[in-house]
Amino acid sequence: MSKPDLSHSVPPSSSRPSVTAKLINGGVAGLVGVTCVFPIDLAKTRLQNQHGKDIYKGMIDCLMKTARAEGFLGMYRGAAVNLTLVTPEKAIKLAANDFFRQLLMEDGMQRNLKMEMLAGCGAGICQVVVTCPMEMLKIQLQDAGRLAVHHQGLASAPSSSRSYTTGSASAHKRPSASLISRELLRTQGLAGLYKGLGATLLRDIPFSIIYFPLFANLNNLGVTESTGKASFAHSFMSGCAAGSVAAVAVTPLDVLKTRIQTLKKGLGEDSYSGITDCARKLWIQEGPSALMKGAGCRALVIAPLFGIAQGVYFIGIGERILKCFK
C-alpha cells in the first residue's frame, strides 16, 4: 500500500496512520466482510470436502439445502470463530504488508514489483499464526452439516468415535469450537490446532504475493494529481479485482488445505498424511478438476472481503475512531 493512498485519512500532524489505527482498520474490515460473505464461504468448504456431487450440485444448491435443513443460522456455522479471530488475522495481514512495504521500498513510496511481492510474502507468513487455528476450527463447524446429511443417506454406516461428531442435521448435540479446541489440545497439544500449517502457508503466501502487488498497482491507476490518492470506489474495486484473481489462482492449494484440516470424514472419504498424499489421491480419484472445487465461491467471498478491507483501510475508520478519544 503506497503512502499517498494512506495519508488522506491521517491528521495533518501525522505522515502515516499509527499502528493502532491500522489494527482497527483491519479488524473492522474483517468483521464487516466476514458477516457479509460467510454463507458463501460455508458453501465453499462443503463443496470442497464432498467427493463428487452426491449431496450438493453447486453453491446455490448447497445454500438452499443448508437453509432448509439447518435454518438461516445454519449458514453461519463457524462464524463465531471467524468473527472472533478475523480481527487479529486481518489486522496482522494488512499491517504487516504495510510495514514490509515501508521497510523494503524506501518508506513505501517507490513501486518495485519484486519488493511488493516480498512484502506480500512477509504478510502471508505473519498472518498464518492466527489463520491456521481459525481455519482449523471453522472448517469442522462448517462441514458438520454436510456430514450429517451424508450420514442420513448412509444410515447403516458406522459412525465415527469422535466426541464432537454430529449424527443428523437436527441433532441436539452439535460440535462447538470450544469442545473441538479442548479435545485437540488434550489429545494432540498445540500442534493439533496447527494441523495443515504447511498447506495454509502454501496457500496464503502465494495469495499475498499475488494480491498485494496487484492491488497496489491497480489502485495507483486511480490516484489523481489533485488529491494524491485514489477514490473510495476505485480502492474498493481494486481490492475486489485483485482479491478475485488471487483467490482463483490459489484455489488448488485451498482445496488441499481444506481436505487436510477436515478431521471428521464421511464413509468412503480418505484421510491424508500430508500435502503430497492429498494431491495424489485427489488427482487419481476425482481428476484434476477437483483441484478447482469452490473456485467460484472463493472469488465471491474474497472479492468483497478484500474490497471492503481496502475501502475501510483507506477511508481511515481507525483514525476517526482514535480521534474520538483524543
Side-chain angles (χ1 to χ4, degrees):
M1 298 174 194
S2 59
K3 186 175 178 181
D5 293 329
L6 296 171
S7 61
H8 72 282
S9 57
V10 185
S13 59
S14 302
S15 59
R16 67 179 68 93
S18 67
V19 173
T20 303
K22 293 175 185 175
L23 295 178
I24 294 173
N25 286 332
V28 170
L31 291 172
V32 174
V34 166
T35 302
C36 293
V37 302
F38 193 84
I40 303 175
D41 186 66
L42 179 138
K44 181 219 68 157
T45 297
R46 294 187 177 185
L47 290 171
Q48 288 181 340
N49 265 331
Q50 76 170 356
H51 290 214
K53 294 186 177 180
D54 294 337
I55 302 175
Y56 309 115
K57 295 180 176 61
M59 181 187 72
I60 301 299
D61 183 54
C62 178
L63 292 174
M64 290 178 64
K65 287 179 177 177
T66 299
R68 283 199 298 266
E70 304 169 56
F72 175 78
L73 293 180
M75 295 189 290
Y76 280 87
R77 274 196 177 191
V81 175
N82 248 36
L83 291 172
T84 301
L85 296 179
V86 75
T87 297
E89 189 241 11
K90 200 65 63 188
I92 289 171
K93 188 184 190 79
L94 294 174
N97 178 72
D98 198 34
F99 169 78
F100 285 119
R101 281 178 62 87
Q102 292 174 357
L103 182 67
L104 297 171
M105 299 169 61
E106 296 185 13
D107 208 25
M109 295 186 68
Q110 293 185 353
R111 291 169 62 184
N112 183 310
L113 183 59
K114 290 182 179 179
M115 291 298 101
E116 288 175 343
M117 294 175 71
L118 191 58
C121 177
I125 293 173
C126 290
Q127 79 166 79
V128 82
V129 175
V130 176
T131 301
C132 191
M134 178 181 75
E135 294 269 316
M136 182 71 181
L137 297 174
K138 182 196 72 171
I139 285 172
Q140 315 316 316
L141 299 172
Q142 287 182 325
D143 202 43
R146 180 191 70 87
L147 290 172
V149 175
H150 182 85
H151 290 156
Q152 283 180 331
L154 300 167
S156 60
S159 61
S160 171
S161 61
R162 284 194 177 276
S163 63
Y164 52 80
T165 301
T166 57
S168 69
S170 60
H172 176 68
K173 292 185 69 176
R174 290 181 173 178
S176 68
S178 58
L179 180 61
I180 297 171
S181 299
R182 285 198 300 270
E183 182 171 337
L184 286 172
L185 290 171
R186 180 178 60 82
T187 58
Q188 302 178 38
L190 190 61
L193 290 173
Y194 282 89
K195 182 180 180 181
L197 176 62
T200 305
L201 282 168
L202 280 179
R203 181 199 66 172
D204 288 350
I205 291 176
F207 178 91
S208 295
I209 288 175
I210 296 170
Y211 172 78
F212 283 112
L214 181 57
F215 168 77
N217 285 277
L218 288 175
N219 195 62
N220 280 333
L221 296 176
V223 175
T224 60
E225 293 183 2
S226 59
T227 61
K229 65 181 186 294
S231 66
F232 167 80
H234 189 90
S235 290
F236 179 84
M237 293 306 299
S238 296
C240 288
S244 294
V245 172
V248 173
V250 303
T251 293
L253 300 169
D254 186 60
V255 173
L256 297 180
K257 183 198 73 67
T258 299
R259 291 286 182 97
I260 290 170
Q261 287 188 319
T262 301
L263 299 175
K264 175 70 176 65
K265 305 291 184 179
L267 184 67
E269 295 180 353
D270 289 310
S271 294
Y272 309 103
S273 60
I275 298 170
T276 304
D277 180 55
C278 181
R280 181 179 60 82
K281 288 179 178 177
L282 201 64
W283 184 278
I284 293 172
Q285 297 174 6
E286 301 178 56
S289 62
L291 291 170
M292 293 304 292
K293 280 186 174 182
C297 291
R298 272 185 61 76
L300 289 175
V301 168
I302 299 298
L305 192 64
F306 278 83
I308 291 169
Q310 296 299 348
V312 169
Y313 203 67
F314 288 109
I315 285 175
I317 289 180
E319 293 84 345
R320 296 170 191 269
I321 291 175
L322 290 177
K323 284 180 67 176
C324 294
F325 290 95
K326 288 183 177 179

PDB file of all heavy atoms in Angstrom, residues 92-112:
ATOM      1  N   ILE A  92      -3.301  -8.159  11.257  1.00  0.00           N
ATOM      2  CA  ILE A  92      -1.907  -8.578  11.060  1.00  0.00           C
ATOM      3  C   ILE A  92      -1.556  -8.567   9.579  1.00  0.00           C
ATOM      4  O   ILE A  92      -0.496  -8.085   9.183  1.00  0.00           O
ATOM      5  CB  ILE A  92      -1.679  -9.985  11.661  1.00  0.00           C
ATOM      6  CG1 ILE A  92      -1.719  -9.927  13.189  1.00  0.00           C
ATOM      7  CG2 ILE A  92      -0.345 -10.565  11.202  1.00  0.00           C
ATOM      8  CD1 ILE A  92      -1.728 -11.286  13.862  1.00  0.00           C
ATOM      9  N   LYS A  93      -2.452  -9.081   8.749  1.00  0.00           N
ATOM     10  CA  LYS A  93      -2.185  -9.178   7.315  1.00  0.00           C
ATOM     11  C   LYS A  93      -1.965  -7.801   6.685  1.00  0.00           C
ATOM     12  O   LYS A  93      -0.968  -7.574   5.994  1.00  0.00           O
ATOM     13  CB  LYS A  93      -3.356  -9.879   6.619  1.00  0.00           C
ATOM     14  CG  LYS A  93      -3.123 -10.208   5.149  1.00  0.00           C
ATOM     15  CD  LYS A  93      -4.389 -10.808   4.558  1.00  0.00           C
ATOM     16  CE  LYS A  93      -4.144 -11.372   3.166  1.00  0.00           C
ATOM     17  NZ  LYS A  93      -3.497 -12.676   3.182  1.00  0.00           N
ATOM     18  N   LEU A  94      -2.882  -6.877   6.939  1.00  0.00           N
ATOM     19  CA  LEU A  94      -2.786  -5.554   6.332  1.00  0.00           C
ATOM     20  C   LEU A  94      -1.637  -4.734   6.921  1.00  0.00           C
ATOM     21  O   LEU A  94      -0.888  -4.074   6.203  1.00  0.00           O
ATOM     22  CB  LEU A  94      -4.105  -4.802   6.496  1.00  0.00           C
ATOM     23  CG  LEU A  94      -5.314  -5.392   5.748  1.00  0.00           C
ATOM     24  CD1 LEU A  94      -6.574  -4.636   6.117  1.00  0.00           C
ATOM     25  CD2 LEU A  94      -5.088  -5.373   4.256  1.00  0.00           C
ATOM     26  N   ALA A  95      -1.505  -4.781   8.245  1.00  0.00           N
ATOM     27  CA  ALA A  95      -0.457  -4.007   8.894  1.00  0.00           C
ATOM     28  C   ALA A  95       0.924  -4.542   8.547  1.00  0.00           C
ATOM     29  O   ALA A  95       1.875  -3.774   8.339  1.00  0.00           O
ATOM     30  CB  ALA A  95      -0.660  -4.002  10.403  1.00  0.00           C
ATOM     31  N   ALA A  96       1.066  -5.880   8.473  1.00  0.00           N
ATOM     32  CA  ALA A  96       2.360  -6.478   8.136  1.00  0.00           C
ATOM     33  C   ALA A  96       2.762  -6.126   6.721  1.00  0.00           C
ATOM     34  O   ALA A  96       3.925  -5.788   6.454  1.00  0.00           O
ATOM     35  CB  ALA A  96       2.300  -7.996   8.308  1.00  0.00           C
ATOM     36  N   ASN A  97       1.815  -6.167   5.790  1.00  0.00           N
ATOM     37  CA  ASN A  97       2.151  -5.797   4.410  1.00  0.00           C
ATOM     38  C   ASN A  97       2.590  -4.346   4.330  1.00  0.00           C
ATOM     39  O   ASN A  97       3.573  -4.016   3.654  1.00  0.00           O
ATOM     40  CB  ASN A  97       0.948  -6.020   3.502  1.00  0.00           C
ATOM     41  CG  ASN A  97       1.235  -5.600   2.073  1.00  0.00           C
ATOM     42  OD1 ASN A  97       1.976  -6.253   1.360  1.00  0.00           O
ATOM     43  ND2 ASN A  97       0.630  -4.500   1.653  1.00  0.00           N
ATOM     44  N   ASP A  98       1.876  -3.468   5.030  1.00  0.00           N
ATOM     45  CA  ASP A  98       2.241  -2.050   5.026  1.00  0.00           C
ATOM     46  C   ASP A  98       3.623  -1.845   5.644  1.00  0.00           C
ATOM     47  O   ASP A  98       4.442  -1.067   5.149  1.00  0.00           O
ATOM     48  CB  ASP A  98       1.185  -1.258   5.797  1.00  0.00           C
ATOM     49  CG  ASP A  98       1.238   0.223   5.482  1.00  0.00           C
ATOM     50  OD1 ASP A  98       1.544   0.569   4.329  1.00  0.00           O
ATOM     51  OD2 ASP A  98       0.991   1.023   6.389  1.00  0.00           O
ATOM     52  N   PHE A  99       3.898  -2.580   6.730  1.00  0.00           N
ATOM     53  CA  PHE A  99       5.193  -2.473   7.402  1.00  0.00           C
ATOM     54  C   PHE A  99       6.327  -2.916   6.481  1.00  0.00           C
ATOM     55  O   PHE A  99       7.352  -2.219   6.345  1.00  0.00           O
ATOM     56  CB  PHE A  99       5.196  -3.330   8.671  1.00  0.00           C
ATOM     57  CG  PHE A  99       6.551  -3.498   9.297  1.00  0.00           C
ATOM     58  CD1 PHE A  99       7.112  -2.484  10.052  1.00  0.00           C
ATOM     59  CD2 PHE A  99       7.261  -4.675   9.108  1.00  0.00           C
ATOM     60  CE1 PHE A  99       8.380  -2.636  10.615  1.00  0.00           C
ATOM     61  CE2 PHE A  99       8.519  -4.836   9.663  1.00  0.00           C
ATOM     62  CZ  PHE A  99       9.084  -3.815  10.419  1.00  0.00           C
ATOM     63  N   PHE A 100       6.150  -4.064   5.828  1.00  0.00           N
ATOM     64  CA  PHE A 100       7.200  -4.583   4.956  1.00  0.00           C
ATOM     65  C   PHE A 100       7.391  -3.706   3.715  1.00  0.00           C
ATOM     66  O   PHE A 100       8.502  -3.555   3.215  1.00  0.00           O
ATOM     67  CB  PHE A 100       6.895  -6.026   4.547  1.00  0.00           C
ATOM     68  CG  PHE A 100       7.144  -7.028   5.644  1.00  0.00           C
ATOM     69  CD1 PHE A 100       6.111  -7.801   6.136  1.00  0.00           C
ATOM     70  CD2 PHE A 100       8.410  -7.184   6.192  1.00  0.00           C
ATOM     71  CE1 PHE A 100       6.327  -8.721   7.151  1.00  0.00           C
ATOM     72  CE2 PHE A 100       8.643  -8.089   7.211  1.00  0.00           C
ATOM     73  CZ  PHE A 100       7.599  -8.867   7.692  1.00  0.00           C
ATOM     74  N   ARG A 101       6.294  -3.129   3.212  1.00  0.00           N
ATOM     75  CA  ARG A 101       6.423  -2.216   2.063  1.00  0.00           C
ATOM     76  C   ARG A 101       7.259  -0.996   2.442  1.00  0.00           C
ATOM     77  O   ARG A 101       8.133  -0.565   1.684  1.00  0.00           O
ATOM     78  CB  ARG A 101       5.036  -1.768   1.582  1.00  0.00           C
ATOM     79  CG  ARG A 101       4.328  -2.795   0.721  1.00  0.00           C
ATOM     80  CD  ARG A 101       2.946  -2.301   0.323  1.00  0.00           C
ATOM     81  NE  ARG A 101       3.032  -1.086  -0.482  1.00  0.00           N
ATOM     82  CZ  ARG A 101       3.170  -1.072  -1.802  1.00  0.00           C
ATOM     83  NH1 ARG A 101       3.256  -2.198  -2.469  1.00  0.00           N
ATOM     84  NH2 ARG A 101       3.217   0.063  -2.467  1.00  0.00           N
ATOM     85  N   GLN A 102       6.988  -0.428   3.599  1.00  0.00           N
ATOM     86  CA  GLN A 102       7.747   0.741   4.040  1.00  0.00           C
ATOM     87  C   GLN A 102       9.200   0.377   4.336  1.00  0.00           C
ATOM     88  O   GLN A 102      10.108   1.164   4.085  1.00  0.00           O
ATOM     89  CB  GLN A 102       7.085   1.346   5.275  1.00  0.00           C
ATOM     90  CG  GLN A 102       5.724   1.967   4.991  1.00  0.00           C
ATOM     91  CD  GLN A 102       5.016   2.440   6.249  1.00  0.00           C
ATOM     92  OE1 GLN A 102       5.508   2.256   7.348  1.00  0.00           O
ATOM     93  NE2 GLN A 102       3.837   3.025   6.076  1.00  0.00           N
ATOM     94  N   LEU A 103       9.413  -0.849   4.834  1.00  0.00           N
ATOM     95  CA  LEU A 103      10.761  -1.298   5.164  1.00  0.00           C
ATOM     96  C   LEU A 103      11.584  -1.581   3.916  1.00  0.00           C
ATOM     97  O   LEU A 103      12.770  -1.222   3.838  1.00  0.00           O
ATOM     98  CB  LEU A 103      10.692  -2.565   6.028  1.00  0.00           C
ATOM     99  CG  LEU A 103      12.021  -3.151   6.503  1.00  0.00           C
ATOM    100  CD1 LEU A 103      12.702  -2.215   7.496  1.00  0.00           C
ATOM    101  CD2 LEU A 103      11.800  -4.526   7.124  1.00  0.00           C
ATOM    102  N   LEU A 104      10.958  -2.191   2.918  1.00  0.00           N
ATOM    103  CA  LEU A 104      11.680  -2.658   1.735  1.00  0.00           C
ATOM    104  C   LEU A 104      11.689  -1.659   0.588  1.00  0.00           C
ATOM    105  O   LEU A 104      12.526  -1.762  -0.309  1.00  0.00           O
ATOM    106  CB  LEU A 104      11.057  -3.972   1.239  1.00  0.00           C
ATOM    107  CG  LEU A 104      11.140  -5.167   2.195  1.00  0.00           C
ATOM    108  CD1 LEU A 104      10.288  -6.316   1.664  1.00  0.00           C
ATOM    109  CD2 LEU A 104      12.586  -5.625   2.360  1.00  0.00           C
ATOM    110  N   MET A 105      10.778  -0.690   0.601  1.00  0.00           N
ATOM    111  CA  MET A 105      10.612   0.174  -0.556  1.00  0.00           C
ATOM    112  C   MET A 105      10.792   1.643  -0.219  1.00  0.00           C
ATOM    113  O   MET A 105      10.065   2.498  -0.711  1.00  0.00           O
ATOM    114  CB  MET A 105       9.232  -0.059  -1.184  1.00  0.00           C
ATOM    115  CG  MET A 105       9.018  -1.486  -1.672  1.00  0.00           C
ATOM    116  SD  MET A 105       7.313  -1.814  -2.114  1.00  0.00           S
ATOM    117  CE  MET A 105       7.107  -0.626  -3.427  1.00  0.00           C
ATOM    118  N   GLU A 106      11.759   1.940   0.619  1.00  0.00           N
ATOM    119  CA  GLU A 106      12.064   3.323   0.971  1.00  0.00           C
ATOM    120  C   GLU A 106      10.807   4.072   1.383  1.00  0.00           C
ATOM    121  O   GLU A 106      10.341   4.990   0.715  1.00  0.00           O
ATOM    122  CB  GLU A 106      12.753   4.040  -0.197  1.00  0.00           C
ATOM    123  CG  GLU A 106      14.113   3.450  -0.537  1.00  0.00           C
ATOM    124  CD  GLU A 106      14.826   4.253  -1.619  1.00  0.00           C
ATOM    125  OE1 GLU A 106      14.381   5.375  -1.901  1.00  0.00           O
ATOM    126  OE2 GLU A 106      15.814   3.761  -2.152  1.00  0.00           O
ATOM    127  N   ASP A 107      10.241   3.622   2.500  1.00  0.00           N
ATOM    128  CA  ASP A 107       9.039   4.235   3.070  1.00  0.00           C
ATOM    129  C   ASP A 107       7.793   3.986   2.226  1.00  0.00           C
ATOM    130  O   ASP A 107       6.808   4.692   2.323  1.00  0.00           O
ATOM    131  CB  ASP A 107       9.219   5.741   3.273  1.00  0.00           C
ATOM    132  CG  ASP A 107       8.357   6.235   4.430  1.00  0.00           C
ATOM    133  OD1 ASP A 107       8.030   5.421   5.312  1.00  0.00           O
ATOM    134  OD2 ASP A 107       8.031   7.419   4.442  1.00  0.00           O
ATOM    135  N   GLY A 108       7.865   2.946   1.366  1.00  0.00           N
ATOM    136  CA  GLY A 108       6.670   2.529   0.633  1.00  0.00           C
ATOM    137  C   GLY A 108       6.298   3.408  -0.533  1.00  0.00           C
ATOM    138  O   GLY A 108       5.237   3.237  -1.110  1.00  0.00           O
ATOM    139  N   MET A 109       7.146   4.336  -0.920  1.00  0.00           N
ATOM    140  CA  MET A 109       6.749   5.298  -1.952  1.00  0.00           C
ATOM    141  C   MET A 109       7.131   4.851  -3.358  1.00  0.00           C
ATOM    142  O   MET A 109       6.488   5.234  -4.319  1.00  0.00           O
ATOM    143  CB  MET A 109       7.355   6.670  -1.655  1.00  0.00           C
ATOM    144  CG  MET A 109       6.839   7.302  -0.370  1.00  0.00           C
ATOM    145  SD  MET A 109       7.435   8.985  -0.136  1.00  0.00           S
ATOM    146  CE  MET A 109       6.592   9.840  -1.453  1.00  0.00           C
ATOM    147  N   GLN A 110       8.188   4.052  -3.502  1.00  0.00           N
ATOM    148  CA  GLN A 110       8.618   3.624  -4.819  1.00  0.00           C
ATOM    149  C   GLN A 110       7.938   2.322  -5.201  1.00  0.00           C
ATOM    150  O   GLN A 110       7.783   1.426  -4.381  1.00  0.00           O
ATOM    151  CB  GLN A 110      10.136   3.452  -4.859  1.00  0.00           C
ATOM    152  CG  GLN A 110      10.905   4.751  -4.705  1.00  0.00           C
ATOM    153  CD  GLN A 110      12.396   4.528  -4.868  1.00  0.00           C
ATOM    154  OE1 GLN A 110      12.856   3.412  -4.969  1.00  0.00           O
ATOM    155  NE2 GLN A 110      13.137   5.619  -4.911  1.00  0.00           N
ATOM    156  N   ARG A 111       7.561   2.214  -6.455  1.00  0.00           N
ATOM    157  CA  ARG A 111       6.918   0.998  -6.930  1.00  0.00           C
ATOM    158  C   ARG A 111       7.976   0.041  -7.453  1.00  0.00           C
ATOM    159  O   ARG A 111       8.709   0.337  -8.389  1.00  0.00           O
ATOM    160  CB  ARG A 111       5.901   1.346  -8.017  1.00  0.00           C
ATOM    161  CG  ARG A 111       4.694   2.096  -7.496  1.00  0.00           C
ATOM    162  CD  ARG A 111       3.847   2.649  -8.627  1.00  0.00           C
ATOM    163  NE  ARG A 111       3.322   1.586  -9.472  1.00  0.00           N
ATOM    164  CZ  ARG A 111       2.607   1.817 -10.576  1.00  0.00           C
ATOM    165  NH1 ARG A 111       2.362   3.064 -10.945  1.00  0.00           N
ATOM    166  NH2 ARG A 111       2.159   0.821 -11.293  1.00  0.00           N
ATOM    167  N   ASN A 112       8.076  -1.134  -6.838  1.00  0.00           N
ATOM    168  CA  ASN A 112       9.038  -2.144  -7.219  1.00  0.00           C
ATOM    169  C   ASN A 112       8.357  -3.495  -7.060  1.00  0.00           C
ATOM    170  O   ASN A 112       8.052  -3.922  -5.952  1.00  0.00           O
ATOM    171  CB  ASN A 112      10.287  -2.056  -6.332  1.00  0.00           C
ATOM    172  CG  ASN A 112      11.364  -3.044  -6.738  1.00  0.00           C
ATOM    173  OD1 ASN A 112      11.100  -4.230  -6.915  1.00  0.00           O
ATOM    174  ND2 ASN A 112      12.585  -2.553  -6.861  1.00  0.00           N
TER     175      ASN A 112
END
